[in-house]
Amino acid sequence: LIGQTLPLKFLEVNQEENKLVVSNRRAVVEAQMADLSRGDVIDGLVKALKPYGAFVEVGGMSGLLHISQISMDRIVDLEKVLQPGQKIKCMIIDHDKVNGRIALSTKTLEPEPGDMIRDPERVYDMADETARIYLEKQEAERKKREESAQNIVLGLGDALDDLGSSDKSSDNLDSLLS
């Protein structure tokens, strides 16, 4: 390591005690996390199985593929679906850049519910197309919620305007709030 340049993240700086704590791992994870976004479909390697899911290595980091995110169908025996050393495709559904944690899903990539159990290769082959459709649906739902919220706010504004023009504003306000 002598003569090499390493990326480092400062964890603690204490001038009074002449103490400096740095982390190469944190710096590397932070740099890798900057390239990842929710909805990205990535290749991974199953590293370990636990009763609650699988740890998958993605880009040198470990992400959790929770058992509830593997398939829309219930997983009875995880070892019948995934094995350590198996290459998979998964979608990033959440990531915590501060702590370097990644939540993964193969369920969102299933063309049909249960495909991860019956035919995982079909899921991996169609992953990019299925992810595109899934993300389009998510965006449409987001826009619909946003539009509904905007209509509520505009409706309240109109109702408050009507209150201001009425002599019985307290009665109208009570009826609005009940």
Side-chain angles (χ1 to χ4, degrees), residues 49 75-83 86 116-117 120:
L49 299 180
I75 306 282
V76 177
D77 185 1
L78 184 57
E79 291 180 355
K80 289 184 179 176
V81 182
L82 297 173
Q83 293 293 316
Q86 180 181 350
M116 265 308 288
I117 298 168

Side-chain angles (χ1 to χ4, degrees), residues 68-162:
S68 67
Q69 288 296 324
I70 294 173
S71 179
M72 289 185 216
D73 285 357
R74 188 172 183 275
I75 306 282
V76 177
D77 185 1
L78 184 57
E79 291 180 355
K80 289 184 179 176
V81 182
L82 297 173
Q83 293 293 316
Q86 180 181 350
K87 291 182 180 180
I88 65 169
K89 280 193 176 187
C90 46
M91 178 186 280
I92 297 173
I93 56 171
D94 197 12
H95 62 318
D96 179 350
K97 291 184 179 187
V98 174
N99 295 314
R101 293 185 179 151
I102 306 169
L104 305 169
S105 176
T106 52
K107 174 169 81 173
T108 56
L109 302 177
E110 287 183 315
E112 299 293 327
D115 277 352
M116 265 308 288
I117 298 168
R118 290 186 302 276
D119 189 2
E121 286 307 314
R122 178 174 187 241
V123 175
Y124 306 144
D125 291 343
M126 297 180 68
D128 292 323
E129 178 64 17
T130 309
R132 184 187 61 74
I133 293 166
Y134 173 81
L135 294 171
E136 285 174 359
K137 284 181 185 176
Q138 292 291 97
E139 181 63 16
E141 288 174 12
R142 185 195 64 77
K143 285 182 179 178
K144 189 175 179 181
R145 284 191 307 272
E146 190 176 276
E147 187 178 294
S148 294
Q150 188 175 22
N151 289 339
I152 290 169
V153 170
L154 292 175
L156 285 174
D158 292 343
L160 291 174
D161 287 345
D162 292 346

